[in-house]
Amino acid sequence: MSPDAAASKGTVRILQLYPRDMNIYGDWGNVLVLKQRLAWHGYDAVILEHNAGDDFPADVDILIGGGGQDSGQVVIQQDLQSNAAHLRALAEDGTPMLAICGLYQLFGRFFKTHDGTVIPGIGILDIETHGGDERLIGNVVARSDEFGDIHGYENHSGQTFLGPGVRPLATVTKGEGNNAKEDHEGARHLNIVASYLHGSLLPKNPAIADFLIREAVTRKYGSFEPGTIDDSIAELARRHAAARPR
């Protein structure tokens, strides 16, 4: 019997934050990867969305936030601030979260745009971001002790700097990462993975997807028994990504 046909081990509720305004780089693909890998591990997935003005869903197991333009960040900032205390409580309680690009920035203390506008963040991550003159674009490979080599594509002008309250997600071996001055990519704190990498991130980085799933299932059900997954296609994609020029 295939994993998809077996009796479900349980249900995991995935919430995508602001897909209407913060999903311009294919970040929806991260949700699809989690849904499929959950099925392979033997779990059902319920996909939820939260856009500006919506009531915040209850019983959320994984949160996904994507990238967007500065204008999109302005649109969502009031709603994000109104839900900041709840999001911080979820983070402190161990809810796994993936924050990409624009939501990565707004999970920090602030994003100061190139024209000097300060968009306040919600302070879950000890980071700050400043709009730069240079746009950082291209393929990235970064080394993580936790997840191995991480592959993705960056496209941002924000320069993000980490404070002492977070650690880098990975060390860049090709590309730029958080900023043009350091070799850090992304941030790790609690069960949060934050990154500038698109592509989408999770199809080429199943170790990160399975981390989010494992933490969500363990938090909800007390333990996690993984399924057996053939990741040969993902490994092929990773090899091709590593060989591509910057």
Side-chain angles (χ1 to χ4, degrees):
M1 182 181 294
S2 70
D4 289 336
S8 173
K9 301 175 185 176
T11 300
V12 174
R13 292 165 62 84
I14 304 169
L15 175 64
Q16 188 177 20
L17 291 174
Y18 308 111
R20 184 182 302 149
D21 298 294
M22 304 295 287
N23 183 30
I24 67 170
Y25 295 117
D27 296 309
W28 174 244
N30 292 322
V31 176
L32 296 180
V33 167
L34 290 176
K35 179 181 179 182
Q36 183 58 66
R37 292 189 75 84
L38 277 163
W40 286 336
H41 285 303
Y43 296 86
D44 293 326
V46 174
I47 310 301
L48 308 167
E49 294 184 358
H50 176 76
N51 289 293
D54 293 345
D55 292 332
F56 201 92
D59 302 323
V60 173
D61 300 313
I62 302 176
L63 276 81
I64 302 288
Q69 299 173 335
D70 292 359
S71 58
Q73 291 175 299
V74 171
V75 168
I76 71 165
Q77 67 169 316
Q78 183 174 351
D79 186 89
L80 184 64
Q81 290 296 327
S82 70
N83 288 289
H86 184 50
L87 288 167
R88 286 194 291 267
L90 287 172
E92 292 292 337
D93 193 46
T95 304
M97 303 180 180
L98 177 66
I100 300 295
C101 198
L103 261 297
Y104 171 25
Q105 294 170 349
L106 293 184
F107 267 39
R109 295 194 299 274
F110 64 84
F111 171 39
K112 186 175 183 179
T113 67
H114 188 264
D115 66 5
T117 301
V118 175
I119 303 175
I122 58 175
I124 291 177
L125 298 176
D126 182 17
I127 64 170
E128 60 183 53
T129 302
H130 300 260
D133 296 323
E134 176 185 5
R135 195 159 193 88
L136 309 181
I137 304 176
N139 293 298
V140 173
V141 180
R143 180 66 188 174
S144 161
D145 292 338
E146 186 176 12
F147 301 115
D149 284 343
I150 298 174
H151 300 269
Y153 188 90
E154 64 181 341
N155 183 0
H156 60 101
S157 59
Q159 306 273 316
T160 294
F161 298 90
L162 308 185
V166 296
R167 63 187 189 275
L169 170 62
T171 300
V172 175
T173 59
K174 178 169 70 177
E176 298 292 346
N178 285 334
N179 58 71
K181 298 179 180 180
E182 302 168 327
D183 62 357
H184 298 155
E185 156 50 30
R188 279 284 285 115
H189 179 58
L190 301 170
N191 283 333
I192 301 169
V193 175
S195 176
Y196 269 116
L197 300 186
H198 305 290
S200 306
L201 177 67
L202 295 186
K204 292 193 293 290
N205 299 282
I208 299 177
D210 281 349
F211 162 80
L212 298 169
I213 290 170
R214 182 181 70 249
E215 295 302 322
V217 171
T218 302
R219 177 174 175 267
K220 186 169 188 176
Y221 294 108
S223 64
F224 172 61
E225 297 181 6
T228 301
I229 300 177
D230 178 2
D231 278 327
S232 57
I233 299 298
E235 288 302 320
L236 180 62
R238 288 166 59 80
R239 290 198 297 273
H240 280 283
R244 291 183 63 85
R246 166 66 176 156

